[in-house]
Amino acid sequence: SRVNPDTMRTVLLATLLLGSLRLFAQRECATHQYTEQQKVIDPTFTQKIIATEQFIQQHQTSVTARGADASANLSVIRVPVVVHVIYNNGSENISDAQIQSQIDVLNKDYRRLNADTANTPDRFKPFTADVQIEFALATADPNGRATTGIIRKYSSTRYWSMDDKIKYSSQGGDDAWDAKNYLNIWVSNTRNLLGYSSEPGCDPAKDGIVINYSAFGTISTVAPYHLGRTATHEVGHWLSLKHIWGDANCGDDLVYDTPSQSMYTSGCPTGVRVTCSNAPLGDMYMNYMDFTNDACMNLFTEGQKQRMRSLFAAGGPRYTLLTSKGLNQPWNKEAPIVEVKTPTIFISIFPNPATDQITLSLNESWIGKEVQIINMNGTLVAKQTVTNAIQKINLQRFAVGGYIIQGSNGDVLLRQKFIKMN
C-alpha cells in the first residue's frame, strides 16, 4: 500500500526527536575515551599514568603500614580555580552567579555538606567521606595581578569536542593557566558531551576539565544534569578517580571500598541492584563517579578520598597546588586584564592581499548590518551593507595600501586589516 508523504515525514520527525532525547538522556562523560586518545597522541603518557598509579599505591601502602590515614591529619586542601568561559552567543556567556553556584556545589560535595546526604542508603553510610578538599576562584593570576578567576572569551567556533582545541588561544579557545598552580575549567557548548577531564601526568597545556555550559552549576542549567554534579564527577577524574565500574564489565576502579559493578548506571534507580556478585550491598549507583542523574548522586567513599588526597602528598602530581599563590592577595600592581564586553572577532578575508575584490566569510547575524572600510590615516573611504553571509566587496576604486574593515552586529565587533595591491 502507498504511504502518505505527510505521515512519513511525521514518523521520521518523531524518530529523530526520540533519538535526540535518547542522546541527552544519558550522562556523556568522555574521560575514559579521552585518556585512551591521549595515550595514542603521546607515547609517554601511558608511562606517566603508570608512574602516578605507583605513587598512589606506594603512598597508600605507607599510610596503611603506619596504621592510620595520614591524609586525614592534613588540613583542608584549597584548590585555586580559573574558569575559561568560551562562548559563541549570549546564552553561552554564563553569569558570574552561575559560575559561583558551581564552586559552591563542589565545596558541598567534596566536604559532604550537600543536603542530599540524607539520601545515602544506610548500607553505604559507613563508607562515606568528607574529602577535605575545597575550591575557590583564583584571586591572583600567574603574574600576580588581581583576577576574579573568570576569563571570558568570544569564539567563532560554534561547538567544541574532546579534541582539546578549546584549550588553545591559537585554535579559538583559551590557553591554560599554569597547571601546577591552578585547576583550569573550560566551559562551552559541547553539544551532547557533558564533559571530560585530563588525568595527572598529561601535557600541562591540556591539564583541566571541559564542561558543557548547560550542565555547569545550578543556574540556567538543564535537567537531569542541572545540579552541578558533572563538575563534581569530572574533578574526581582530575584527581585520578576512575568510573566506579572501572570502564569494563565488572572492572576495577582501584578503590577498595566501592563494590564491583557490571557497568554504568543511567537514570535514577532505587533499592538494591546486585551485579558482579556484589550482594548484599549491591551497586553504589549514588556515587559521584557513576552515570546516574545529578539528583541521585550524593557520596564519595573513604577509599576515594584517600586516593584523591594522595596526589597532594610530597612528590605527588598535585603537590604543587599546596603552595600555589593563586588564592593570595595580588602582588603585582599592574592593572588586571579587563574583559572587553563587546568582543572582537576575526573572520576569513580572502584573498588577502587582494587586487579587485575581497570576500568576507561572516554568518547570517551580519545580514543587514553595515561594515566600514578605513584607511591607515583613519579616514572612512567606503561603507557597505551586508547582504549575504559570504559578502564580496569591490576594491577597484581603492588606492594601493593597507585598510581596516570594521563593523558591529550588536554582539561582537569586527575589526580586521587587509591589503589592496595593484
Side-chain angles (χ1 to χ4, degrees):
S1 62
R2 186 176 179 179
V3 179
N4 185 297
D6 291 335
T7 301
M8 284 293 293
R9 282 193 290 269
T10 301
V11 171
L12 178 59
L13 178 61
T15 302
L16 291 173
L17 178 60
L18 180 59
S20 176
L21 290 173
R22 285 174 177 166
L23 184 65
F24 288 92
Q26 176 184 307
R27 183 177 297 277
E28 292 288 340
C29 166
T31 296
H32 176 66
Q33 296 91 325
Y34 174 75
T35 299
E36 294 304 305
Q37 179 190 82
Q38 294 307 300
K39 290 177 182 178
V40 175
I41 294 173
D42 178 6
T44 69
F45 187 46
T46 297
Q47 291 304 314
K48 292 174 182 176
I49 290 177
I50 292 173
T52 296
E53 190 56 41
Q54 289 175 340
F55 180 89
I56 292 171
Q57 297 302 325
Q58 289 170 2
H59 176 74
Q60 292 186 335
T61 298
S62 175
V63 167
T64 301
R66 294 198 300 272
D69 179 10
S71 67
N73 298 322
L74 295 174
S75 59
V76 172
I77 296 169
R78 301 189 74 225
V79 176
V81 178
V82 54
V83 177
H84 309 259
V85 180
I86 312 299
Y87 63 97
N88 180 262
N89 59 53
S91 64
E92 298 166 3
N93 189 14
I94 61 176
S95 68
D96 289 0
Q98 184 173 343
I99 294 170
Q100 186 57 55
S101 75
Q102 181 61 78
I103 300 298
D104 293 342
V105 169
L106 287 173
N107 288 330
K108 289 177 181 177
D109 288 350
Y110 278 78
R111 295 303 314 275
R112 195 156 170 78
L113 297 173
N114 46 305
D116 52 5
T117 57
N119 297 332
T120 300
D122 289 341
R123 65 187 185 279
F124 287 129
K125 285 182 178 177
F127 301 92
T128 62
D130 168 4
V131 181
Q132 294 180 281
I133 297 177
E134 295 180 356
F135 304 85
L137 291 169
T139 54
D141 74 7
N143 295 311
R145 297 172 299 201
T147 180
T148 61
I150 301 171
I151 304 297
R152 300 179 183 277
K153 187 173 180 181
Y154 170 84
S155 178
S156 59
T157 300
R158 186 69 182 88
Y159 302 110
W160 301 89
S161 62
M162 66 172 193
D163 58 10
D164 282 335
K165 289 182 179 179
I166 194 172
K167 300 176 182 179
Y168 295 92
S169 295
S170 62
Q171 300 289 331
D174 195 46
D175 294 335
W177 286 13
D178 179 11
K180 292 183 179 180
N181 293 295
Y182 301 90
L183 163 56
N184 288 275
I185 302 178
W186 289 269
V187 181
S188 64
N189 189 339
T190 55
R191 289 195 278 195
N192 62 302
L193 175 63
L194 286 180
Y196 69 94
S197 173
S198 65
E199 287 198 31
C202 74
D203 179 350
K206 300 178 180 181
D207 195 359
I209 66 178
V210 176
I211 296 183
N212 195 306
Y213 77 103
S214 68
F216 193 73
T218 60
I219 299 173
S220 302
T221 46
V222 180
Y225 310 115
H226 59 304
L227 300 179
R229 265 56 194 272
T230 298
T232 300
H233 178 101
E234 299 303 339
V235 171
H237 285 310
W238 183 76
L239 292 173
S240 208
L241 292 187
K242 313 298 181 185
H243 287 135
I244 197 167
W245 67 98
D247 292 296
N249 184 39
C250 299
D252 184 3
D253 68 349
L254 305 177
V255 176
Y256 67 85
D257 58 359
T258 55
S260 178
Q261 69 181 54
S262 61
M263 62 182 298
Y264 62 82
T265 310
S266 296
C268 191
T270 59
V272 178
R273 192 181 80 165
V274 174
T275 64
C276 303
S277 303
N278 60 15
L281 295 176
D283 294 353
M284 191 183 278
Y285 51 75
M286 67 295 305
N287 192 286
Y288 292 123
M289 302 312 295
D290 205 338
F291 272 13
T292 39
N293 295 347
D294 278 16
C296 300
M297 294 178 157
N298 55 59
L299 71 88
F300 284 120
T301 70
E302 186 65 33
Q304 288 174 316
K305 169 186 176 177
Q306 292 174 16
R307 183 175 178 84
M308 288 188 279
R309 287 184 65 96
S310 67
L311 301 179
F312 296 90
R318 301 297 184 201
Y319 176 63
T320 55
L321 284 161
L322 297 180
T323 55
S324 171
K325 296 181 180 179
L327 298 178
N328 288 6
Q329 288 292 321
W331 60 92
N332 186 339
K333 299 303 180 182
E334 180 182 344
I337 298 174
V338 178
E339 173 195 352
V340 178
K341 295 298 182 182
T342 306
T344 301
I345 63 167
F346 296 92
I347 62 169
S348 174
I349 298 178
F350 57 92
N352 189 11
T355 54
D356 298 326
Q357 73 175 14
I358 57 173
T359 301
L360 311 181
S361 180
L362 298 163
N363 59 46
E364 293 183 355
S365 68
W366 285 85
I367 295 176
K369 303 298 189 295
E370 181 183 89
V371 293
Q372 302 174 337
I373 297 177
I374 300 169
N375 64 23
M376 291 296 101
N377 296 321
T379 302
L380 175 66
V381 297
K383 55 185 179 180
Q384 183 168 332
T385 299
V386 177
T387 58
N388 197 294
I390 304 298
Q391 180 69 43
K392 299 182 183 298
I393 298 179
N394 193 310
L395 302 181
Q396 291 181 346
R397 294 179 298 163
F398 286 45
V400 172
Y403 295 86
I404 293 175
I405 185 165
Q406 66 179 26
S408 172
N409 71 354
D411 293 326
V412 295
L413 296 176
L414 163 63
R415 184 174 174 83
Q416 200 158 337
K417 183 178 178 180
F418 70 91
I419 298 174
K420 166 66 164 62
M421 298 181 67
N422 284 323

